[in-house]
Amino acid sequence: MLAFLGELLDERSSNLDTPRHYDYLHFMEAHNWHIEDVSALDLRIAALDPDLISLAIKIGPPGVCDNRADEVCRRYLVYASAVAELRDAVAATLDLMAERQLLAGTIVVLMADHGEEFGDHDNDPRIQQTSDVVAYIGHSQSLYQELIHVPLIIWHPQYVGQAVSEPVSLIDLAPSLARWLGVEFEPALWDGRHLDRAIAGEASEKRVMYATGIAYGEQQIATREGHHKSIWHTVSDETDYFDLTQDPRELQHVQSEDWVWTFDSLLTDFLASMPTGKIEAASLSNEQIRRLQAIGYLQGVEIED
């Protein structure tokens, strides 16, 4: 990866008269390593630094490695090692860009599409088992924070580094990048907000955000307002409420009549905003399918000759 990046940056450095460049790097390690055969897992674990193993267990889901021989623990450790590898790759990338004197005129965005479940809520009978080998490993089966609270890290040469506690969304990236890059393209229907105020630490009105789209098991809709959150299970018609400040792992349900009324109203607003027309399935060419498969999507979809 770094060899490829070095060649890419060499090209950029030699073409500094061109006003804009856009490069997209898709890292797949955190998608792939932990779903390998058990023998491959053991080889990866044998090569891990003991300090990394200790840290991964310390910050992992409660009980995930109570028994180091359990398959769920081994898969979790390999996943954690892949995330650590990506962290090091990103750091090396920024070092290389700084060495080439490219960071002063570059915006770097690190993001992810989802998290991963490793038994964080294996006591919830409504979660669909998504693996033939181990229960509660994967994603797309729940809307707990381990799956929808994903990294968003931005290097912007005009801002001082800081952590932003205000909830933001990946849908904020398109309008924010368009503004930062001076691109005159901002459709009125974009739902995202500009990140300038959040980065500057300015207070903004309380934001309501929604998440939905379960691939395995019972459909759910999550609603978040500030640090309060609800998850509605649409089939069983059960709703859980969480205070993410006091309970970031969502292990204790909040019992509050006021929360019920508030989130029922927000959920009603969301359902009323959903389109009612029939949406036709997209028709993709073989080339489009190949490109999506190259970055980890539509795996198993056959391409017609």
Side-chain angles (χ1 to χ4, degrees), residues 7-48:
E7 295 176 2
L8 186 67
L9 295 182
D10 282 339
E11 179 184 345
R12 294 294 177 260
S13 299
S14 62
N15 290 281
L16 292 179
D17 292 336
T18 304
R20 292 193 185 107
H21 296 288
Y22 173 81
D23 297 301
Y24 175 73
L25 301 179
H26 192 105
F27 297 93
M28 291 297 296
E29 289 84 350
H31 272 89
N32 296 343
W33 289 5
H34 66 289
I35 60 173
E36 296 174 329
D37 292 337
V38 173
S39 58
L41 297 178
D42 291 338
L43 289 174
R44 290 191 183 277
I45 292 174
L48 293 182

Short mmCIF file of all heavy atoms in Angstrom, two decimals, residues 7-48:
data_model
loop_
_atom_site.label_atom_id
_atom_site.label_comp_id
_atom_site.label_asym_id
_atom_site.label_seq_id
_atom_site.Cartn_x
_atom_site.Cartn_y
_atom_site.Cartn_z
N GLU A 7 4.14 6.14 -5.12
CA GLU A 7 4.07 6.43 -6.56
C GLU A 7 2.99 7.46 -6.84
O GLU A 7 3.17 8.37 -7.67
CB GLU A 7 3.76 5.13 -7.32
CG GLU A 7 4.88 4.09 -7.23
CD GLU A 7 4.49 2.79 -7.91
OE1 GLU A 7 3.38 2.73 -8.47
OE2 GLU A 7 5.29 1.84 -7.88
N LEU A 8 1.84 7.34 -6.15
CA LEU A 8 0.76 8.30 -6.35
C LEU A 8 1.19 9.71 -5.95
O LEU A 8 0.94 10.68 -6.67
CB LEU A 8 -0.45 7.86 -5.50
CG LEU A 8 -1.75 8.64 -5.66
CD1 LEU A 8 -2.33 8.43 -7.04
CD2 LEU A 8 -2.75 8.21 -4.60
N LEU A 9 1.88 9.83 -4.82
CA LEU A 9 2.31 11.14 -4.34
C LEU A 9 3.43 11.70 -5.20
O LEU A 9 3.55 12.92 -5.36
CB LEU A 9 2.73 11.05 -2.89
CG LEU A 9 1.62 10.70 -1.89
CD1 LEU A 9 2.15 10.69 -0.48
CD2 LEU A 9 0.44 11.65 -2.02
N ASP A 10 4.27 10.83 -5.76
CA ASP A 10 5.28 11.30 -6.70
C ASP A 10 4.62 11.99 -7.88
O ASP A 10 5.05 13.05 -8.34
CB ASP A 10 6.12 10.12 -7.20
CG ASP A 10 7.16 9.70 -6.17
OD1 ASP A 10 7.49 10.52 -5.28
OD2 ASP A 10 7.64 8.56 -6.25
N GLU A 11 3.53 11.37 -8.36
CA GLU A 11 2.80 11.97 -9.49
C GLU A 11 2.19 13.30 -9.09
O GLU A 11 2.23 14.28 -9.83
CB GLU A 11 1.70 11.00 -9.94
CG GLU A 11 0.86 11.54 -11.09
CD GLU A 11 -0.28 10.60 -11.45
OE1 GLU A 11 -0.25 9.44 -11.00
OE2 GLU A 11 -1.19 11.04 -12.16
N ARG A 12 1.62 13.35 -7.86
CA ARG A 12 1.02 14.60 -7.39
C ARG A 12 2.08 15.70 -7.24
O ARG A 12 1.87 16.84 -7.59
CB ARG A 12 0.32 14.37 -6.04
CG ARG A 12 -0.89 13.45 -6.14
CD ARG A 12 -2.00 14.10 -6.97
NE ARG A 12 -3.13 13.19 -7.11
CZ ARG A 12 -3.35 12.46 -8.18
NH1 ARG A 12 -2.52 12.53 -9.22
NH2 ARG A 12 -4.41 11.69 -8.26
N SER A 13 3.23 15.33 -6.68
CA SER A 13 4.29 16.31 -6.44
C SER A 13 4.81 16.89 -7.75
O SER A 13 5.24 18.04 -7.80
CB SER A 13 5.43 15.65 -5.66
OG SER A 13 4.99 15.18 -4.42
N SER A 14 4.78 16.10 -8.81
CA SER A 14 5.30 16.57 -10.09
C SER A 14 4.26 17.31 -10.90
O SER A 14 4.55 17.80 -11.99
CB SER A 14 5.83 15.37 -10.90
OG SER A 14 4.78 14.46 -11.17
N ASN A 15 3.02 17.39 -10.38
CA ASN A 15 1.96 18.08 -11.11
C ASN A 15 1.27 19.11 -10.22
O ASN A 15 0.04 19.20 -10.17
CB ASN A 15 0.92 17.06 -11.62
CG ASN A 15 1.47 16.19 -12.73
OD1 ASN A 15 1.54 16.59 -13.88
ND2 ASN A 15 1.85 14.97 -12.37
N LEU A 16 2.05 19.87 -9.48
CA LEU A 16 1.47 20.81 -8.53
C LEU A 16 0.77 21.98 -9.21
O LEU A 16 0.04 22.72 -8.55
CB LEU A 16 2.55 21.33 -7.59
CG LEU A 16 3.13 20.28 -6.62
CD1 LEU A 16 4.21 20.91 -5.76
CD2 LEU A 16 2.04 19.70 -5.75
N ASP A 17 0.98 22.16 -10.52
CA ASP A 17 0.28 23.24 -11.21
C ASP A 17 -1.19 22.92 -11.42
O ASP A 17 -2.00 23.81 -11.67
CB ASP A 17 0.94 23.51 -12.57
CG ASP A 17 2.34 24.11 -12.40
OD1 ASP A 17 2.58 24.70 -11.34
OD2 ASP A 17 3.16 23.95 -13.33
N THR A 18 -1.55 21.63 -11.35
CA THR A 18 -2.95 21.24 -11.49
C THR A 18 -3.68 21.59 -10.20
O THR A 18 -3.23 21.19 -9.12
CB THR A 18 -3.07 19.72 -11.76
OG1 THR A 18 -2.29 19.41 -12.90
CG2 THR A 18 -4.52 19.33 -11.97
N PRO A 19 -4.78 22.35 -10.26
CA PRO A 19 -5.37 22.90 -9.04
C PRO A 19 -5.94 21.88 -8.08
O PRO A 19 -5.89 22.06 -6.87
CB PRO A 19 -6.46 23.84 -9.56
CG PRO A 19 -6.78 23.33 -10.94
CD PRO A 19 -5.50 22.80 -11.47
N ARG A 20 -6.54 20.78 -8.56
CA ARG A 20 -7.20 19.84 -7.66
C ARG A 20 -6.90 18.41 -8.03
O ARG A 20 -6.80 18.06 -9.20
CB ARG A 20 -8.72 20.03 -7.69
CG ARG A 20 -9.23 21.34 -7.12
CD ARG A 20 -10.74 21.26 -6.93
NE ARG A 20 -11.29 22.52 -6.48
CZ ARG A 20 -11.99 23.34 -7.24
NH1 ARG A 20 -12.24 23.01 -8.49
NH2 ARG A 20 -12.47 24.47 -6.76
N HIS A 21 -6.80 17.57 -6.99
CA HIS A 21 -6.69 16.12 -7.18
C HIS A 21 -7.62 15.47 -6.18
O HIS A 21 -7.81 15.96 -5.07
CB HIS A 21 -5.26 15.62 -6.92
CG HIS A 21 -4.25 16.15 -7.87
ND1 HIS A 21 -4.18 15.75 -9.18
CD2 HIS A 21 -3.26 17.06 -7.69
CE1 HIS A 21 -3.18 16.39 -9.77
NE2 HIS A 21 -2.61 17.19 -8.90
N TYR A 22 -8.21 14.34 -6.56
CA TYR A 22 -9.04 13.56 -5.65
C TYR A 22 -8.57 12.12 -5.70
O TYR A 22 -8.50 11.51 -6.77
CB TYR A 22 -10.51 13.64 -6.07
CG TYR A 22 -11.41 12.71 -5.27
CD1 TYR A 22 -11.86 13.07 -4.01
CD2 TYR A 22 -11.80 11.47 -5.78
CE1 TYR A 22 -12.67 12.24 -3.27
CE2 TYR A 22 -12.60 10.62 -5.05
CZ TYR A 22 -13.05 11.01 -3.80
OH TYR A 22 -13.85 10.17 -3.07
N ASP A 23 -8.22 11.58 -4.55
CA ASP A 23 -7.78 10.18 -4.48
C ASP A 23 -8.60 9.47 -3.42
O ASP A 23 -8.85 10.02 -2.33
CB ASP A 23 -6.29 10.10 -4.13
CG ASP A 23 -5.42 10.74 -5.19
OD1 ASP A 23 -5.48 10.30 -6.35
OD2 ASP A 23 -4.70 11.70 -4.85
N TYR A 24 -9.01 8.25 -3.71
CA TYR A 24 -9.82 7.45 -2.79
C TYR A 24 -9.13 6.12 -2.55
O TYR A 24 -8.86 5.37 -3.49
CB TYR A 24 -11.21 7.21 -3.41
CG TYR A 24 -12.10 6.29 -2.60
CD1 TYR A 24 -12.67 6.73 -1.41
CD2 TYR A 24 -12.38 5.00 -3.04
CE1 TYR A 24 -13.49 5.91 -0.68
CE2 TYR A 24 -13.21 4.17 -2.31
CZ TYR A 24 -13.76 4.62 -1.13
OH TYR A 24 -14.57 3.79 -0.40
N LEU A 25 -8.80 5.85 -1.29
CA LEU A 25 -8.16 4.60 -0.90
C LEU A 25 -9.14 3.79 -0.07
O LEU A 25 -9.67 4.29 0.94
CB LEU A 25 -6.89 4.86 -0.09
CG LEU A 25 -5.80 5.68 -0.77
CD1 LEU A 25 -4.62 5.88 0.16
CD2 LEU A 25 -5.35 5.03 -2.07
N HIS A 26 -9.38 2.55 -0.46
CA HIS A 26 -10.34 1.68 0.23
C HIS A 26 -9.56 0.56 0.91
O HIS A 26 -9.01 -0.31 0.24
CB HIS A 26 -11.35 1.11 -0.77
CG HIS A 26 -12.53 0.46 -0.13
ND1 HIS A 26 -13.77 1.05 -0.08
CD2 HIS A 26 -12.65 -0.74 0.50
CE1 HIS A 26 -14.60 0.24 0.55
NE2 HIS A 26 -13.96 -0.85 0.91
N PHE A 27 -9.51 0.58 2.23
CA PHE A 27 -8.79 -0.45 2.98
C PHE A 27 -9.75 -1.59 3.32
O PHE A 27 -10.84 -1.35 3.82
CB PHE A 27 -8.22 0.13 4.28
CG PHE A 27 -7.21 1.22 4.06
CD1 PHE A 27 -7.59 2.55 4.04
CD2 PHE A 27 -5.87 0.92 3.87
CE1 PHE A 27 -6.67 3.56 3.85
CE2 PHE A 27 -4.94 1.93 3.68
CZ PHE A 27 -5.33 3.24 3.66
N MET A 28 -9.33 -2.82 3.10
CA MET A 28 -10.22 -3.96 3.27
C MET A 28 -9.84 -4.87 4.43
O MET A 28 -10.54 -5.84 4.72
CB MET A 28 -10.26 -4.79 1.98
CG MET A 28 -10.95 -4.11 0.82
SD MET A 28 -12.70 -3.77 1.16
CE MET A 28 -13.34 -5.44 1.32
N GLU A 29 -8.73 -4.60 5.11
CA GLU A 29 -8.26 -5.53 6.14
C GLU A 29 -9.31 -5.81 7.21
O GLU A 29 -9.51 -6.95 7.62
CB GLU A 29 -6.98 -4.98 6.80
CG GLU A 29 -5.75 -5.01 5.91
CD GLU A 29 -5.65 -3.80 4.99
OE1 GLU A 29 -6.65 -3.03 4.90
OE2 GLU A 29 -4.60 -3.60 4.37
N ALA A 30 -9.99 -4.77 7.68
CA ALA A 30 -10.97 -4.96 8.74
C ALA A 30 -12.22 -5.67 8.25
O ALA A 30 -13.03 -6.14 9.06
CB ALA A 30 -11.36 -3.60 9.35
N HIS A 31 -12.40 -5.78 6.95
CA HIS A 31 -13.50 -6.56 6.40
C HIS A 31 -13.15 -8.05 6.31
O HIS A 31 -14.01 -8.91 6.45
CB HIS A 31 -13.85 -6.09 4.97
CG HIS A 31 -14.83 -4.98 4.93
ND1 HIS A 31 -14.47 -3.66 4.97
CD2 HIS A 31 -16.18 -4.98 4.83
CE1 HIS A 31 -15.54 -2.90 4.90
NE2 HIS A 31 -16.60 -3.67 4.83
N ASN A 32 -11.89 -8.34 6.06
CA ASN A 32 -11.52 -9.69 5.61
C ASN A 32 -10.85 -10.58 6.63
O ASN A 32 -11.12 -11.77 6.70
CB ASN A 32 -10.60 -9.58 4.38
CG ASN A 32 -11.29 -8.95 3.18
OD1 ASN A 32 -12.51 -8.88 3.14
ND2 ASN A 32 -10.50 -8.50 2.22
N TRP A 33 -9.92 -10.04 7.40
CA TRP A 33 -9.03 -10.90 8.18
C TRP A 33 -9.79 -11.79 9.16
O TRP A 33 -9.48 -12.97 9.31
CB TRP A 33 -8.01 -10.06 8.94
CG TRP A 33 -6.98 -9.43 8.06
CD1 TRP A 33 -6.92 -9.46 6.70
CD2 TRP A 33 -5.84 -8.66 8.49
NE1 TRP A 33 -5.83 -8.75 6.25
CE2 TRP A 33 -5.16 -8.25 7.33
CE3 TRP A 33 -5.37 -8.27 9.74
CZ2 TRP A 33 -3.99 -7.49 7.38
CZ3 TRP A 33 -4.22 -7.50 9.80
CH2 TRP A 33 -3.55 -7.12 8.63
N HIS A 34 -10.76 -11.24 9.88
CA HIS A 34 -11.40 -11.99 10.96
C HIS A 34 -12.42 -13.01 10.47
O HIS A 34 -12.96 -13.77 11.28
CB HIS A 34 -12.05 -11.03 11.96
CG HIS A 34 -13.20 -10.25 11.39
ND1 HIS A 34 -13.02 -9.24 10.47
CD2 HIS A 34 -14.54 -10.33 11.62
CE1 HIS A 34 -14.19 -8.73 10.16
NE2 HIS A 34 -15.13 -9.36 10.83
N ILE A 35 -12.72 -13.04 9.18
CA ILE A 35 -13.65 -14.04 8.66
C ILE A 35 -12.91 -15.16 7.93
O ILE A 35 -13.53 -15.97 7.24
CB ILE A 35 -14.71 -13.41 7.74
CG1 ILE A 35 -14.06 -12.72 6.53
CG2 ILE A 35 -15.57 -12.42 8.52
CD1 ILE A 35 -15.07 -12.22 5.51
N GLU A 36 -11.58 -15.21 8.07
CA GLU A 36 -10.80 -16.28 7.46
C GLU A 36 -11.01 -17.60 8.21
O GLU A 36 -11.64 -17.65 9.27
CB GLU A 36 -9.31 -15.92 7.48
CG GLU A 36 -8.97 -14.70 6.64
CD GLU A 36 -7.52 -14.28 6.80
OE1 GLU A 36 -6.96 -14.49 7.90
OE2 GLU A 36 -6.95 -13.75 5.83
N ASP A 37 -10.49 -18.70 7.64
CA ASP A 37 -10.55 -19.99 8.31
C ASP A 37 -9.83 -19.93 9.64
O ASP A 37 -8.92 -19.11 9.85
CB ASP A 37 -9.91 -21.08 7.44
CG ASP A 37 -10.73 -21.37 6.19
OD1 ASP A 37 -11.94 -21.08 6.19
OD2 ASP A 37 -10.14 -21.87 5.22
N VAL A 38 -10.22 -20.81 10.56
CA VAL A 38 -9.66 -20.80 11.90
C VAL A 38 -8.14 -20.95 11.89
O VAL A 38 -7.43 -20.32 12.67
CB VAL A 38 -10.31 -21.91 12.75
CG1 VAL A 38 -9.62 -22.02 14.11
CG2 VAL A 38 -11.79 -21.63 12.94
N SER A 39 -7.62 -21.79 10.99
CA SER A 39 -6.17 -21.98 10.93
C SER A 39 -5.46 -20.69 10.59
O SER A 39 -4.39 -20.39 11.14
CB SER A 39 -5.83 -23.05 9.89
OG SER A 39 -6.32 -22.69 8.60
N ALA A 40 -6.05 -19.89 9.71
CA ALA A 40 -5.46 -18.60 9.36
C ALA A 40 -5.53 -17.63 10.54
O ALA A 40 -4.61 -16.84 10.78
CB ALA A 40 -6.16 -18.00 8.15
N LEU A 41 -6.61 -17.71 11.32
CA LEU A 41 -6.74 -16.87 12.51
C LEU A 41 -5.60 -17.15 13.49
O LEU A 41 -4.97 -16.24 14.03
CB LEU A 41 -8.07 -17.12 13.21
CG LEU A 41 -9.37 -16.80 12.47
CD1 LEU A 41 -10.56 -17.17 13.35
CD2 LEU A 41 -9.43 -15.33 12.09
N ASP A 42 -5.35 -18.43 13.72
CA ASP A 42 -4.32 -18.80 14.69
C ASP A 42 -2.94 -18.33 14.25
O ASP A 42 -2.13 -17.91 15.08
CB ASP A 42 -4.33 -20.32 14.89
CG ASP A 42 -5.59 -20.79 15.60
OD1 ASP A 42 -6.22 -19.96 16.27
OD2 ASP A 42 -5.94 -21.97 15.46
N LEU A 43 -2.67 -18.37 12.96
CA LEU A 43 -1.38 -17.88 12.47
C LEU A 43 -1.25 -16.38 12.71
O LEU A 43 -0.17 -15.89 13.10
CB LEU A 43 -1.23 -18.20 10.98
CG LEU A 43 -1.01 -19.67 10.62
CD1 LEU A 43 -1.03 -19.86 9.11
CD2 LEU A 43 0.32 -20.17 11.19
N ARG A 44 -2.32 -15.64 12.48
CA ARG A 44 -2.27 -14.19 12.71
C ARG A 44 -2.09 -13.87 14.19
O ARG A 44 -1.32 -12.99 14.57
CB ARG A 44 -3.54 -13.54 12.17
CG ARG A 44 -3.65 -13.54 10.65
CD ARG A 44 -4.79 -12.65 10.18
NE ARG A 44 -4.97 -12.68 8.75
CZ ARG A 44 -4.27 -11.96 7.89
NH1 ARG A 44 -3.35 -11.12 8.35
NH2 ARG A 44 -4.49 -12.03 6.58
N ILE A 45 -2.83 -14.59 15.05
CA ILE A 45 -2.74 -14.33 16.49
C ILE A 45 -1.35 -14.65 17.02
O ILE A 45 -0.81 -13.94 17.88
CB ILE A 45 -3.82 -15.14 17.23
CG1 ILE A 45 -5.21 -14.60 16.88
CG2 ILE A 45 -3.60 -15.08 18.74
CD1 ILE A 45 -6.35 -15.42 17.43
N ALA A 46 -0.74 -15.72 16.50
CA ALA A 46 0.60 -16.11 16.96
C ALA A 46 1.62 -15.02 16.68
O ALA A 46 2.64 -14.91 17.38
CB ALA A 46 1.02 -17.41 16.29
N ALA A 47 1.36 -14.19 15.67
CA ALA A 47 2.31 -13.13 15.30
C ALA A 47 2.02 -11.80 15.98
O ALA A 47 2.76 -10.83 15.78
CB ALA A 47 2.30 -12.95 13.78
N LEU A 48 0.97 -11.72 16.81
CA LEU A 48 0.58 -10.45 17.41
C LEU A 48 1.47 -10.09 18.60
O LEU A 48 1.92 -10.95 19.35
CB LEU A 48 -0.88 -10.50 17.86
CG LEU A 48 -1.95 -10.60 16.77
CD1 LEU A 48 -3.34 -10.59 17.40
CD2 LEU A 48 -1.80 -9.47 15.78
#
